[in-house]
Amino acid sequence: MVSEGSSDEYLIFHHEKIGFLDILSLIFLRRKLTSYKFVEASKATTLKFNNVHADWVSALILLLQKFLGFIKKPLKCTGIAVEYLLNLVSINGGIWSLIKNIATFSVKWPTPNSKEYRSFIGHIDGRTELHKIVPVSSYFQLADQEIGLNEDINHTDLFAMAAKLAYENEAYIREVVTKSWKMNFVAYFDCWNESLQAKTTQAFMFTDKLLNTPLIIIAFRGTQPFDADDWSTDIDLSFLSLGKMGNVHAGFLHALGFESSPTKRSTELEDQTQDLVRPLAYNTIRDSLKAQLLVHQNAKIIITGHSLGGALAVLFPALLEYNQETTLLNSMQAVITFGQPRVGDETFAKYMESTAWLNYNRIVYRFDIVPRIPPDYYPISLFKHFGNCYYYDGWYKFEKVEEVPNPNYLDLTFFPTMYANAWGDLIKGIQMGRTHGEEYKEGLVSIMFRAFGLIIPGVASHSPRDYVNGARLGQTSYKKL
């Protein structure tokens, strides 16, 4: 179980309790932030932030969360309808074939959660085959002999593809892992979030081969485009304490199985009372890893994820450290994330960087909005990135950086550049098939998603497609780091 840590510091924003008058008060009256009824804070936190008053940043974030809560159900229904329509078109061979099948009463109807049924992300990028070209350089400096995988595999591509595949249903994932990748599918996890009272955390585990595998890979599912709760979690300012490890984003901790309220001992997970119908992510995945290491004693562990999945990929081993799971930590090879939001404060960042096992690499594509939230300058949150950051400063051209440009997104001086990049990505995306070959040709859904970046710059840059393309194109074209 996750041992009980210090609860001296916690701050929870209950955005669902915010009213219109509260929003006006946040903007114009600017009272002490911890004085609002929708804010739950410990005595230590209240004293620490006694002089922090509400401002336009807190008002904007809380207003966005309130709006996301308001559109939650219609957005979910829209997502279900859009995904079904896209699958209806694709399973019938395209729009014109669908029209023909309708006319001849021979329409093929898609079955949700089947091995043919793709998510919206899967329609942005439907590639399932791994890239076989060996990269000249690597983000992560993981030599072939270190990983032990087939030397013909582009390792970076494998991790990016796994992070993308995590958005799909279990049957689809199993089919791709076993049939397309020729690897061993271990388990699919569909886990309970007590705070949201729903199964919101998904991940899967696979190995290179059934016996004597060198590597165990876990991929967490990220922010789903039509899931308001996911987006609300990404921008949340709430935090919980992990004692000496520092303060950590509350929403991400809840996703791994923490209680919804500090008053319910939010840093404790009880193995003995774990409900099989409502499995908790940390416990379930940890136990599955232990079982795998009994079979593959020399295997190493790599954890990956895109977006929200990247945040969980970082926090999962952090909780292993918190609980002194030495055996699992000694088997950790690396954490590799794509488009990941900030997860903890500066104390957490320094603690993680001081651990002997940490080999943490995060990838950011251009002006991707998600790695730039929650803000790192706001007195209440002060979330900080850490680890090695590899940033695409051009069309699949990357470099290792200390900090990305426009680190908090809201710097208005960067908006002309962000809009210019959105136009450039859209135009180049349309031409990808001609300039880079059939493998990179983008369909209508991907092009439309890129066009959305012309409305909100940075959203289209969050597409897993660009992270996969970066793994395939960026490494082979630029200097070794």
Side-chain angles (χ1 to χ4, degrees):
M1 83 184 204
V2 175
S3 57
E4 186 178 2
S6 170
S7 58
D8 289 341
E9 289 192 23
Y10 61 80
L11 182 71
I12 305 296
F13 290 91
H14 296 283
H15 56 84
E16 69 279 1
K17 298 180 181 180
I18 298 174
F20 179 70
L21 293 179
D22 292 319
I23 297 296
L24 293 179
S25 176
L26 286 167
I27 298 173
F28 298 108
L29 297 183
R30 299 193 173 188
R31 291 161 41 196
K32 291 180 180 180
L33 201 55
T34 54
S35 69
Y36 287 91
K37 292 182 178 179
F38 57 82
V39 177
E40 181 181 359
S42 66
K43 290 182 179 180
T45 301
T46 302
L47 289 172
K48 182 176 181 179
F49 298 117
N50 185 53
N51 294 321
V52 177
H53 293 254
D55 62 2
W56 72 272
V57 176
S58 56
L60 176 61
I61 291 175
L62 291 167
L63 183 60
L64 282 172
Q65 288 183 300
K66 190 68 177 179
F67 174 71
L68 287 167
F70 179 74
I71 66 170
K72 175 180 176 179
K73 289 185 178 179
L75 185 64
K76 180 179 180 180
C77 292
T78 300
I80 292 173
V82 168
E83 282 191 356
Y84 191 86
L85 180 60
L86 290 173
N87 279 280
L88 178 65
V89 172
S90 63
I91 201 172
N92 282 278
I95 294 177
W96 296 114
S97 295
L98 174 60
I99 295 173
K100 178 182 177 181
N101 289 346
I102 292 174
T104 57
F105 301 99
S106 56
V107 175
K108 299 177 182 177
W109 300 101
T111 303
N113 295 319
S114 67
K115 64 182 181 181
E116 295 86 14
Y117 199 88
R118 285 183 286 161
S119 68
F120 181 75
I121 296 295
H123 281 89
I124 290 178
D125 185 358
R127 292 172 293 185
T128 58
E129 297 295 332
L130 295 176
H131 198 52
K132 299 299 182 181
I133 299 176
V134 181
V136 175
S137 62
S138 171
Y139 295 131
F140 316 121
Q141 300 176 353
L142 299 176
D144 292 335
Q145 59 267 28
E146 281 188 272
I147 297 182
L149 286 173
N150 187 321
E151 62 180 11
D152 292 331
I153 292 178
N154 177 336
H155 304 137
T156 312
D157 177 64
L158 173 62
F159 309 139
M161 287 288 284
K164 178 175 76 75
L165 186 60
Y167 286 95
E168 307 302 328
N169 66 70
E170 179 179 2
Y172 187 95
I173 293 172
R174 184 189 297 270
E175 182 75 5
V176 171
V177 171
T178 58
K179 299 295 177 62
S180 297
W181 298 358
K182 309 298 182 185
M183 294 184 180
N184 176 49
F185 176 85
V186 176
Y188 176 83
F189 307 100
D190 187 17
C191 299
W192 183 257
N193 185 323
E194 181 66 23
S195 176
L196 298 176
Q197 288 291 295
K199 288 184 174 181
T200 65
T201 305
Q202 290 77 32
F204 73 100
M205 184 185 299
F206 67 101
T207 60
D208 180 40
K209 48 192 175 183
L210 182 61
L211 299 175
N212 298 318
T213 186
L215 196 64
I216 302 169
I217 300 177
I218 303 167
F220 283 93
R221 179 179 296 177
T223 305
Q224 299 185 86
F226 296 98
D227 193 320
D229 284 334
D230 281 357
W231 287 105
S232 183
T233 295
D234 284 343
I235 64 175
D236 196 11
L237 297 175
S238 303
F239 65 78
L240 296 170
S241 173
L242 287 183
K244 66 179 181 180
M245 290 181 65
N247 296 329
V248 176
H249 190 290
F252 302 148
L253 287 175
H254 292 159
L256 288 173
F258 276 45
E259 288 284 358
S260 58
S261 169
T263 59
K264 297 179 182 179
R265 298 173 73 189
S266 61
T267 54
E268 185 171 352
L269 296 172
E270 293 288 353
D271 292 306
Q272 294 88 345
T273 60
Q274 181 172 333
D275 190 343
L276 293 178
V277 180
R278 297 179 174 182
L280 303 177
Y282 172 78
N283 293 338
T284 306
I285 298 173
R286 177 204 59 194
D287 292 346
S288 184
L289 270 177
K290 286 182 177 180
Q292 285 299 304
L293 287 177
L294 289 176
V295 178
H296 313 289
Q297 296 182 6
N298 296 319
K300 295 295 183 180
I301 301 167
I302 284 185
I303 307 179
T304 190
H306 169 263
S307 193
L308 170 62
L312 301 185
V314 175
L315 283 182
F316 179 79
L319 292 182
L320 294 178
E321 171 72 23
Y322 183 69
N323 288 282
Q324 300 179 358
E325 295 283 358
T326 307
T327 302
L328 293 179
L329 291 173
N330 288 340
S331 297
M332 285 292 301
Q333 176 78 58
V335 175
I336 301 161
T337 69
F338 304 88
Q340 167 225 310
R342 297 182 177 98
V343 298
D345 66 6
E346 187 174 5
T347 300
F348 178 75
K350 289 181 177 178
Y351 185 95
M352 292 294 288
E353 289 188 327
S354 71
T355 59
W357 55 267
L358 184 70
N359 181 4
Y360 165 46
N361 307 273
R362 58 186 184 89
I363 319 304
V364 179
Y365 181 75
R366 288 159 79 85
F367 287 105
D368 184 345
I369 185 174
V370 173
R372 293 168 167 85
I373 56 176
D376 68 356
Y377 64 89
Y378 191 54
I380 286 291
S381 61
L382 298 178
F383 294 109
K384 299 293 182 183
H385 276 307
F386 59 100
N388 302 313
C389 178
Y390 297 92
Y391 174 69
Y392 288 100
D393 62 348
W395 186 251
Y396 306 129
K397 177 182 179 180
F398 69 88
E399 61 178 335
K400 188 175 182 180
V401 299
E402 291 296 324
E403 184 58 273
V404 301
N406 191 16
N408 291 290
Y409 185 74
L410 294 176
D411 187 341
L412 297 181
T413 62
F414 277 94
F415 271 66
T417 303
M418 290 196 292
Y419 276 112
N421 280 352
W423 274 109
D425 281 4
L426 174 62
I427 294 170
K428 291 174 182 176
I430 293 172
Q431 300 175 335
M432 280 292 283
R434 180 178 61 83
T435 58
H436 292 78
E438 189 67 22
E439 174 186 348
Y440 298 95
K441 183 178 180 179
E442 299 194 14
L444 180 61
V445 179
S446 180
I447 296 301
M448 290 179 65
F449 189 73
R450 287 195 186 279
F452 189 73
L454 303 179
I455 303 173
I456 306 178
V459 172
S461 295
H462 191 54
S463 171
R465 183 181 194 99
D466 282 320
Y467 286 100
V468 172
N469 283 350
R472 299 182 178 193
L473 298 173
Q475 295 187 81
T476 57
S477 302
Y478 298 93
K479 64 182 181 180
K480 186 173 182 179
L481 299 178

